[in-house]
């Protein structure tokens, strides 16, 4: 297992380009199952989760060729319809093969994902929506056995605006007979990216990016030719890094509209953020102001930035109240930050963060993807040396993160444990 060693306190300077978005690339790759032909996906980040979905689709019979950030899929000969437990438990986004397989082949056997560090994360709404489209789904020995002669359009109201649920149902509805209406749908930019790609494949979709999406089913789709949007969470992570170190960095490739809630809160905290063409200029303040955040589905403050923002608030000038409204257990990073001298008290889904003058370097352990990113941010700002262990969590969602930070002047390296 690798660990990352950071000598903190260096102010970050210079430019960095964000990679393609993991949470857009994953559903887009699953969407290639919807039709045969040669699919070409560009700007796909090189991440562990992308390796996992490549293995999964290959096991279903797809032929995949990767060259850097180019990801080509030939889904002509899909001859297996099973997403096994040992794959799904390592990456829950594997359940996104359910909708496409059902829509195109009328069958799928997908393991229930099981628990996750940040919460139970059930997929009951995916199942409920697919059944509304006419699928018959039985649970057998931890697997969902799904069948459908032909999916037919339906009006589906989602109890919560689930991102994955919206994506699964959006993909399934493209080939269903008739119209599907998704109400209380997720509005995340990754949904809009997927919808644009599906429309490019010949799907008829209106309203993506709003809470009501209309899909008119078509008989068949054409191969995908698309470029993945930039990763807004990676961009946000770099913005917080600059804010913590009185840094002055330029982030290229980010889409500021995807980050409005975060930018508003960073500005409240005293961070200077300017848009210069497709570059975001971020300058950290001499003193960070403490601000409160509540995570919400898009366009609210993103839950995937909660841990990173908490890292910033550990050095705020006052008290910050951070409320996590999306997942029930997404404070795993708190006890690790406390080891570095952070003053944080948890009360249910709320964390009270009293700013301290400076964090102190220490050995810490990552528990999930965004928690590991927040610990790297703490290490970059802390005095002395921080060791972040179990960085395989980081490798799931950040491409060459330590290399990018090194280019910005950080004293950071990766070593084998
Ligand atoms: C996606 O997960 C992202 N993952 C997550 O990013 C992100 O945190 C999350 O959306 C919220 O924005 C990918 O896109 C691959 P949800 P997803 O379904 O789709 C409940 C990261 O760090 N729910 O919107 O699994 C669920 O329990 C990862 O990159 C149900 O109750 O999230 C949760 O409380 C972490 N029933 C809430 O909805 C369901 O059927 C949001 O989950 C589905 C979800």
């Amino acid at each position: 297992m690798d660990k990352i060693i950071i000598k903190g306190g260096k102010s970050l300077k210079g430019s960095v380009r964000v990679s393609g978005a993991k949470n857009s690339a994953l559903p887009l790759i699953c969407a290639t199952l919807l039709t045969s032909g040669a699919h070409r996906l560009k700007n796909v980040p090189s991440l562990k989760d992308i390796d996992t979905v490549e293995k999964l689709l290959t096991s279903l019979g797809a032929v995949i060729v990767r060259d850097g950030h180019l990801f080509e899929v030939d889904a002509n000969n899909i001859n297996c319809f099973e997403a096994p437990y040992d794959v799904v438990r390592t990456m829950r986004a594997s359940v996104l093969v359910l909708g496409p397989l059902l829509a195109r082949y009328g069958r799928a056997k997908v393991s229930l994902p099981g628990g996750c560090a940040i919460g139970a994360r059930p997929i009951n709404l995916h199942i409920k929506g697919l059944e509304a489209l006419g699928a018959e789904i039985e649970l057998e020995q931890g697997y969902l056995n799904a069948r459908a002669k032909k999916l037919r359009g339906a009006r589906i109201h989602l109890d919560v605006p689930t991102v994955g649920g919206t994506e699964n149902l959006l993909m399934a509805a493209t080939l269903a007979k008739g119209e599907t209406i998704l109400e209380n749908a997720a509005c995340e930019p990754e949904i809009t990216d997927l919808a644009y790609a599906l429309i490019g494949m010949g799907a008829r979709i209106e309203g993506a990016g709003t809470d009501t999406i209309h899909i008119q089913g078509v008989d068949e789709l054409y191969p995908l030719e698309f470029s993945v949007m930039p990763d807004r969470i990676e961009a946000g992570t770099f913005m917080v890094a600059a804010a913590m170190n009185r840094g002055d960095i330029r982030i290229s490739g980010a889409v500021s509209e995807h980050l409005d809630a975060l930018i508003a809160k960073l500005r409240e905290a005293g961070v200077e953020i300017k848009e210069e063409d497709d570059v975001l200029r971020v300058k950290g303040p001499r003193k960070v102001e403490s601000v409160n955040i509540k995570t919400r589905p898009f366009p609210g403050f993103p839950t995937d930035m909660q841990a990173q923002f908490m890292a910033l608030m550990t050095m705020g000038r006052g008290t910050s109240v951070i409320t996590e409204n999306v997942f029930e257990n997404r404070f795993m990073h708190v006890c690790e930050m406390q080891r570095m001298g952070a003053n944080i008290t948890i009360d249910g889904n709320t964390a009270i963060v009293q700013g301290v003058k400076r964090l102190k370097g220490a050995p810490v352990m990552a528990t999930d993807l965004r928690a590991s990113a927040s610990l790297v941010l703490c290490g970059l700002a802390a005095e002395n040396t921080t060791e972040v262990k179990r960085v395989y969590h980081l490798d799931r969602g950040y491409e060459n993160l330590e290399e990018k930070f090194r280019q910005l002047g950080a004293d950071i390296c990766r070593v084998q444990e």
Side-chain angles (χ1 to χ4, degrees):
M1 267 193 263
D2 292 354
K3 63 183 175 184
I4 285 182
I5 298 176
I6 305 163
K7 285 196 182 56
K10 302 271 185 310
S11 257
L12 303 182
K13 298 269 186 293
S15 302
V16 66
R17 169 168 285 278
V18 292
S19 301
K22 163 180 84 82
N23 292 349
S24 180
L26 291 171
L28 286 167
I29 290 167
C30 294
T32 63
L33 294 170
L34 285 163
T35 185
S36 56
H39 302 272
R40 274 168 62 85
L41 202 49
K42 288 180 251 176
N43 200 33
V44 174
S46 303
L47 303 170
K48 284 273 170 286
D49 275 9
I50 301 298
D51 298 343
T52 304
V53 75
E54 175 189 6
K55 279 195 204 89
L56 174 59
L57 261 69
T58 304
S59 73
L60 302 180
V63 176
I64 292 172
V65 175
R66 288 171 73 177
D67 177 8
H69 295 149
L70 179 64
F71 193 101
E72 295 178 318
V73 184
D74 169 343
N76 290 318
N77 303 310
I78 300 300
N79 50 30
C80 172
F81 306 93
E82 180 173 337
Y85 176 54
D86 63 348
V87 172
V88 181
R89 72 185 170 79
T90 56
M91 190 189 68
R92 0 178 19 84
S94 309
V95 300
L96 293 174
V97 301
L98 199 47
L101 289 176
L102 266 178
R104 185 176 172 200
Y105 297 98
R107 57 189 291 208
K109 182 180 179 186
V110 174
S111 169
L112 273 178
C116 164
I118 62 177
R121 300 180 75 182
I123 59 167
N124 59 314
L125 301 178
H126 299 232
I127 296 166
K128 199 171 142 193
L130 290 168
E131 288 176 334
L133 294 173
E136 287 165 24
I137 302 178
E138 300 292 324
L139 176 62
E140 284 159 24
Q141 293 168 331
Y143 279 77
L144 296 173
N145 262 319
R147 296 263 172 196
K149 285 191 191 58
K150 172 75 179 164
L151 294 180
R152 59 182 186 280
R155 176 188 285 268
I156 300 166
H157 183 88
L158 292 166
D159 298 355
V160 297
T162 154
V163 172
T166 301
E167 290 164 345
N168 240 335
L169 297 172
L170 181 59
M171 291 188 282
T174 58
L175 293 176
K177 194 164 178 51
E179 181 181 41
T180 296
I181 302 172
L182 296 183
E183 293 174 337
N184 196 30
C187 304
E188 272 68 4
E190 292 76 16
I191 305 281
T192 311
D193 218 33
L194 175 62
Y196 284 157
L198 292 167
I199 290 166
M201 293 169 74
R204 293 172 57 197
I205 300 169
E206 283 176 16
T210 75
D211 62 4
T212 306
I213 305 177
H214 291 253
I215 306 108
Q216 292 293 343
V218 295
D219 293 335
E220 70 167 320
L221 295 168
Y222 310 106
L224 175 72
E225 172 78 38
F226 197 71
S227 183
V228 178
M229 70 180 231
D231 194 315
R232 61 193 171 102
I233 305 302
E234 185 193 15
T237 304
F238 283 116
M239 294 173 81
V240 171
M244 290 178 75
N245 276 300
R246 292 207 296 276
D248 180 354
I249 69 171
R250 287 175 177 74
I251 303 167
S252 56
V255 176
S256 64
E257 295 76 49
H258 294 167
L259 290 157
D260 285 344
L262 173 69
I263 288 172
K265 285 297 175 181
L266 286 173
R267 281 178 173 151
E268 258 185 71
V271 182
E272 199 182 311
I273 300 167
K274 279 193 289 194
E275 280 190 78
E276 298 162 356
D277 300 328
D278 91 326
V279 170
L280 277 178
R281 174 91 180 268
V282 183
K283 289 174 80 171
R286 293 197 60 73
K287 268 310 283 172
V288 173
E289 296 303 328
S290 294
V291 294
N292 302 334
I293 61 164
K294 294 178 191 297
T295 67
R296 291 267 182 244
F298 193 88
F301 190 96
T303 175
D304 290 352
M305 279 302 305
Q306 179 256 106
Q308 299 92 312
F309 198 84
M310 187 183 288
L312 175 64
M313 289 297 104
T314 63
M315 47 195 293
R317 212 157 38 170
T319 302
S320 159
V321 179
I322 294 179
T323 309
E324 172 55 59
N325 291 312
V326 177
F327 291 108
E328 63 268 29
N329 186 36
R330 202 168 196 176
F331 285 148
M332 308 277 277
H333 41 282
V334 168
C335 38
E336 297 304 306
M337 290 180 182
Q338 287 166 334
R339 288 173 47 71
M340 298 179 73
N343 181 344
I344 307 171
T345 317
I346 294 180
D347 177 9
N349 68 334
T350 298
I352 318 285
V353 187
Q354 307 276 0
V356 296
K357 198 161 170 17
R358 188 139 186 231
L359 295 175
K360 296 177 175 52
V364 289
M365 190 165 68
T367 50
D368 62 84
L369 169 56
R370 305 305 171 181
S372 48
S374 72
L375 296 175
V376 170
L377 296 179
C378 290
L380 291 170
E383 60 191 29
N384 303 329
T385 300
T386 296
E387 286 192 3
V388 181
K389 301 170 181 292
R390 296 192 179 178
V391 290
Y392 57 85
H393 290 291
L394 208 59
D395 296 337
R396 293 191 51 179
Y398 289 93
E399 186 178 41
N400 302 327
L401 188 65
E402 71 275 6
E403 181 49 42
K404 291 181 178 177
F405 275 130
R406 198 174 18 254
Q407 281 167 14
L408 292 171
D411 182 342
I412 181 171
C413 65
R414 175 189 288 249
V415 296
Q416 290 214 325
E417 278 258 50

